Every structure is written in structure tokens, then in C-alpha cells.
Amino acid sequence: MPTELNDLFTFPIVQAPMAGGASCPQLAAGVLEGGGLAFLAAGYKTPEAMYEEIRQLRAVTDRPFGVNLFMPQPPSPPDPAQIEAYAEQLAGEAEWYGTALGDAEAGTDDAFDAKVAILLDEPVALVSFTFGCPKAAVLDAFARAGTYTVVTVTNVVEARRAQAAGADAVCVQGVEAGGHQGGFRNDPRDDYVGRGLLTLLAEVLEAVDVPVIAAGGLMRGGQIAAVLSAGAAAAQLGTAFLVCPESGANALHKRAVTGGVFTRTELTRAFSGRPARGLVNRFVREHGPYAPAAYPQVHHLTSPLRAAAARVGDPQGMALWAGQGYRLARELPAAELVEVLARELADALSGTTKPTGDASGGLL
């Protein structure tokens, strides 16, 4: 197994783990072929489904890749009455789409222990963690298995905790990023205080000694050059890969990102109960202001609604995760996109072209 982060890739370009289907084996294989580092997303999957995707990817490549896990959440919501009230508000959505609401109490641990057991028995090169930091014993077990570990962080306190627990690296996620903010807490008091990537990157680099992966606002090679020049070891991109033909994202989601109907993104709890950046559609406008800070209870509650909206072809009821720079997305095959980004990166670092855009773009 690789022992250093730069042993895992040819180019310091990381395809983000996008839960919900986008980060499928086909997308990962394309990124790996191009020389980047790819992740499979185990979040919301059963342990068996996670293992099957690992098996499929290993069947087509021997390159190192990563798997992302969601950390277990508190077993009880902070206020059950808030979830009941939100369910009442969503009753009209259920009637409209002809489906029942999901079971808010469907589980809070995402089968974390079972997934860890599989990954220790059949090690992959890298495992990353979102929504918290594992105990030191878990990180130690992965170290003994030869697996490199990364913890997603959104502030300096989280970065220091991850280093103290024994993580090999941290993934610093700026507020520009699409999809869920991967911080340790789900507290409304933390809303609207997120740091932009370049500021957060500088703060974390001064606070910890482990390698740092930069995520959020990265859609072009020039932006990757900017975070590498600032001290990052690699750059992680999600929205940039979301619209690749190999991506498992719903076709309606891809068209929403590349089309002109949706004009902005914002952070919302409407679909999951955790802050997540997506395109602003009807569902976000009507329900976002009222969604409680209850994850994954709200995720379970709205899951049938999102699925029904997708079945009937209605993007206004779907979670259209996307970062701030979604307009810069390019519909290129994954391997080709990695190669294009690598050329842009090389040009920017050599000074032959000006960096494209800035670090306020978007990352899923």
C-alpha cells in the first residue's frame, strides 16, 4: 500500500466522493486512467453495495483509489417536535408526488462499523471520513492495514482534532463547495460563518503538520495551481466531475448544472437536515427556511420525495447539489478532464497562461 499521499496519484487532482450515485466505479475508473485519484462514495449505501462497487473497480484497474465513509450521527434528534412539524409541512409534497414520506428514524450510523470491518478485511489505498472524526483506535487499525486516512474538516479546531486522533491528512472544505458541508457539528449557530477555501487553507496549514487536500471552488487548472502554491498537497473537485458521461448522477441533475434554468446556489437543510450547497429550486425556496438541523432524520424523511421527483422528471423537487462554480463545468470524459486540468495546472505553474477563475468557483 502507498505510504505517502503523493504515491496515490500521477496528478494532484482528486475526484471527490459524491454520495447518491455520482461517484460510481465507471467515473472512478476514468479519473484513475487519466492519472488522478478517485473516490467511491459509501455514504447511504449498504456494506454489501459498497463492497460490490470496490469489486467492480478492482476488476478494471489496479491503480490505488479511495472510499469515503459517513461518520455515525447522534442517535436522537435535538428536538423531535421539529421533525414532526417539518413532516407536516412536507405532507403536500407527498400528496403531489404520490408517495409516502420516509421513516425519519431509519437509522443514524450508516452501517459505519460494518463498512469499517470490510475495509479492514479487504483494504483499499485510502479511506476518508465525513461528518466527524473516527476514534484513534479506528485510525490506528487502518494504519496497521496499510490504508492512508483523511478526515474532512471545515475549521481549524476540526483539523487539530483530526491530527491528534492520528489521521494521515485532512481535506479542508471551503464554504464554496457543493453538496454537504462535512464538518463535525450540525449546529445552526455555525451557519453563515463558513470560511472561503483560500482563507481556511491558510489557517489550517498554520495549525497542523499533516498534508492538506483543498476542496471547494476548484473547476480549472489555474485554481488548482493557486491552492498548491498556497501549500495544499492536492486539490479535490466534485462538481467538475459531476457532468462527466461516466458519472452516475441523474441526467436531470446534469442538465440542471449545464443548462441555464437555475441561476444560483445556496446552502440549505431542506433535503437532509444538514447544510448542503445546491442549485436553488422550488423545494429549496419553499422548505429550506423551515428545515430543522436534524441529520440524517430529514434525509430519510425526504428520500422518497426526491426519488419520486426524479421518476417524473421534475428537477424542482430534487436535490441538485452543485458548487458555486457550476457554470464552469465541462461535459468531458473523466480521463480527458483530468488530462485537461493537468495541462492547465502545468501551464499556470509555469507562467505560460494566467490562472483561470479564482478559488470562489464551486466544488461538489
Side-chain angles (χ1 to χ4, degrees), residues 198 201 205 222-233 345 348-349:
L198 286 179
L201 177 61
L205 284 167
Q223 296 171 301
I224 297 171
V227 296
L228 296 182
S229 297
L345 169 61
L349 291 175

Side-chain angles (χ1 to χ4, degrees), residues 52-97:
E52 175 59 21
E53 288 202 344
I54 293 171
R55 188 195 65 79
Q56 290 177 19
L57 186 53
R58 281 178 167 157
V60 297
T61 183
D62 59 359
R63 293 181 171 92
F65 62 89
V67 173
N68 175 258
L69 301 180
F70 285 174
M71 290 296 298
Q73 300 300 296
S76 300
D79 187 350
Q82 290 183 343
I83 298 176
E84 293 177 10
Y86 196 53
E88 291 177 4
Q89 178 175 332
L90 295 178
E93 297 282 351
E95 182 178 1
W96 174 259
Y97 288 117

